[in-house]
Amino acid sequence: MSDWYRDFANSGVGTTITKQLGLPRPAQLRRYEPGQPLLPGPALVGSAGQGRLRDQVTALLRDAGVTVVSPVVADGDDGGAKLGAVVLDATGLTGPGDLAAAHDLLAPAMKRLGASGRVLVLADPPATAEGPAQAAARQALEGLVRSLAKELRNGGTANLVLVPEGAEPALGGPLRFFLSGRAAYVDGQVLTLTGATPASQDDERPLAGKVAVVTGAARGIGAAIARVLSRDGAHVVAVDVPAAGEQLASVANEIGGTAVALDITADDAGPRLATQLIARHGGVDVVVHNAGITRDKLLVNMDAARWNSVMAVNLQAQLDITQALLDTDGALKPGARVVSVSSQSGIAGNRGQTNYAASKAGIIGMVRAWAPEFAERGATINAVAPGFIVTEMTATMPLGTREVGSRLNSLQQGGLPVDVAETIAFLAQPASAGVNGQVVRVCGQSLLGA
């Protein structure tokens, strides 16, 4: 699906016109393709204070084939090569005075950041600080990163990963994700790691040998999720309502998966699915709760049927199916991953969507509450919260509404279904073991909500 304004703004005459009129010029984002290098240019790795992660980050990047340069080189001693990324280890902060070192590293490096460049800041959680000054410095990084993300142009992103002491082994997967083209539409986000130790994986096919269930897989974002998980090596069990059987079969046949026609709101949907997964596949490694509906209306005019149907599909079905999988011996394989699709509406709210926003906010509460139990099982449960994603449904919106919705973010464009799918695939990987109970917004740093 083409973005006519982005394409025009990046054309010869469009570039001239947008510059003259002071209009935004959305960039062509760097998205992942198999075999693509992690970064298109070298990475600057530096620290603020006596950080403990700099050497680890340098080794991880070099293992991934990335050239690592020092802050001195980033100031121009390498002949002017554009940087693919800047990684700041800020785990050494002791107080606000140390933040000057973050400025001293980042400010000159921004002039050298290439198209779709990445800025990644690594820090300790404010909650584990030894006192108010250290907590203030750590919390300040969130404001810095979110603001910097709004300043970057040319498709650049900035994100913050909090790495508590003991969680260092979990850093590799998130580091590669945020620097890669997989995270093209993830911007201005904060992710907190746990101390879980990831299993090894083939980064080209990280889900090889895994079985993944995707609900709502017949079209749109669900179909994109199924395709990306299959690309990454998983056998995908594609689930949707019987009425979508033809489209569902088409998607499953395309990726060599299995189609299952199922009404996920049925009372026995969870046990039936769990039994089938054990019988046919020996259990499941990845569960993606994507199915969802909208029945929009102002609350004052909303009837009970609209409210109840949205709650049943979007929230209650996720609760019931997940509980059934937890309760059925052998249904969830060791190291299982559950990923639920929430929404920006569940965080920021949206006029006329009290039912939808409530259901999507409920998903976030569900994920956070279940995270400790999943951790005890060596599994994880997380959520993604898409913003404005360009789909067949959004294509039917009035032009003005669609344009406003797609531009109100730092990247000045709507996301694609594959952007949601790539984030889910990251959370499904063995390398994401240290990510649990988290919500990742796939919204280009929307200006709506937190």
Side-chain angles (χ1 to χ4, degrees):
M1 285 163 279
S2 178
D3 183 331
W4 71 271
Y5 176 77
R6 182 200 61 201
D7 295 343
F8 168 74
N10 285 281
S11 66
V13 64
T15 298
T16 301
I17 292 174
T18 53
K19 283 184 176 180
Q20 289 177 343
L21 297 179
L23 296 174
R25 186 156 65 95
Q28 296 280 355
L29 302 182
R30 173 171 63 94
R31 289 187 166 92
Y32 174 76
E33 295 179 5
Q36 181 185 73
L38 180 62
L39 289 170
L44 164 67
V45 179
S47 59
Q50 298 298 314
R52 67 179 191 280
L53 300 176
R54 182 173 179 173
D55 290 345
Q56 180 186 355
V57 169
T58 298
L60 287 168
L61 292 177
R62 286 177 174 160
D63 286 346
V66 175
T67 299
V68 178
V69 299
S70 69
V72 173
V73 171
D75 285 337
D77 294 348
D78 62 344
K82 288 292 187 180
L83 295 170
V86 179
V87 182
L88 169 64
D89 175 9
T91 55
L93 296 183
T94 60
D98 292 335
L99 292 169
H103 164 269
D104 293 346
L105 175 81
L106 293 173
M110 294 307 94
K111 299 174 184 177
R112 301 290 307 285
L113 197 63
S116 289
R118 302 285 188 254
V119 177
L120 187 63
V121 177
L122 310 174
D124 289 290
T128 64
E130 295 180 356
Q134 189 174 56
R138 292 177 178 179
Q139 189 66 47
L141 293 171
E142 183 171 336
L144 184 157
V145 168
R146 292 190 189 276
S147 297
L148 180 57
K150 290 181 167 68
E151 295 179 5
L152 294 177
R153 291 293 178 263
N154 246 351
T157 65
N159 293 284
L160 172 64
V161 176
L162 301 178
V163 188
E165 289 195 25
E168 293 85 359
L171 178 58
L175 176 75
R176 289 189 295 271
F177 170 70
F178 281 113
L179 297 185
S180 74
R182 291 178 180 267
Y185 205 60
V186 180
D187 196 14
Q189 298 302 293
V190 181
L191 191 72
T192 302
L193 304 185
T194 72
T197 301
S200 61
Q201 66 179 39
D202 175 354
D203 287 337
E204 285 296 313
R205 289 176 60 81
L207 300 179
K210 306 292 186 182
V211 176
V213 170
V214 181
T215 66
R219 62 187 180 91
I221 293 174
I225 295 167
R227 293 184 181 106
V228 168
L229 295 183
S230 175
R231 179 204 69 195
D232 284 358
H235 177 86
V236 177
V237 179
V239 178
D240 217 314
V241 292
E246 185 175 344
Q247 288 178 296
L248 183 66
S250 176
V251 172
N253 289 337
E254 175 191 338
I255 62 176
T258 303
V260 174
L262 178 68
D263 177 359
I264 61 171
T265 66
D267 291 341
D268 63 344
R272 282 174 55 196
L273 183 60
T275 300
Q276 184 169 335
L277 288 170
I278 293 172
R280 296 189 180 181
H281 306 285
V284 65
D285 300 281
V286 179
V287 179
V288 181
H289 291 298
N290 166 73
I293 61 172
T294 57
R295 297 291 185 269
D296 296 353
K297 208 79 170 177
L298 294 178
L299 182 62
V300 68
N301 298 321
M302 186 178 295
D303 57 43
R306 288 177 183 268
W307 181 275
N308 293 335
S309 61
V310 168
M311 287 296 170
V313 175
N314 295 6
L315 182 56
Q316 192 62 52
Q318 292 198 22
L319 285 159
D320 292 344
I321 290 174
T322 305
Q323 190 64 62
L325 294 172
L326 288 168
D327 291 343
T328 306
D329 289 342
L332 288 177
K333 293 183 180 180
R337 304 281 186 264
V338 174
V339 186
S340 294
V341 178
S342 178
S343 170
Q344 174 184 299
S345 294
I347 296 171
N350 200 16
R351 187 175 189 271
Q353 288 194 323
T354 51
N355 52 356
Y356 182 79
S359 69
K360 294 300 186 177
I363 288 170
I364 296 173
M366 175 192 77
V367 163
R368 289 172 175 165
W370 247 327
E373 180 177 344
F374 272 73
E376 290 177 1
R377 294 169 174 255
T380 67
I381 182 168
N382 295 284
V384 297
F388 190 95
I389 305 298
V390 179
T391 63
E392 292 178 3
M393 182 178 69
T394 61
T396 65
M397 291 179 173
L399 177 62
T401 302
R402 186 170 70 247
E403 284 301 301
V404 170
S406 64
R407 307 301 167 199
L408 287 178
N409 59 76
S410 295
L411 296 174
Q412 302 173 332
Q413 60 191 285
L416 301 180
V418 71
D419 297 322
V420 181
E422 293 286 13
T423 305
I424 288 171
F426 153 63
L427 294 170
Q429 293 177 3
S432 70
V435 184
N436 191 25
Q438 300 291 294
V439 181
V440 182
R441 293 182 65 175
V442 188
C443 63
Q445 198 187 26
S446 173
L447 304 184
L448 304 176

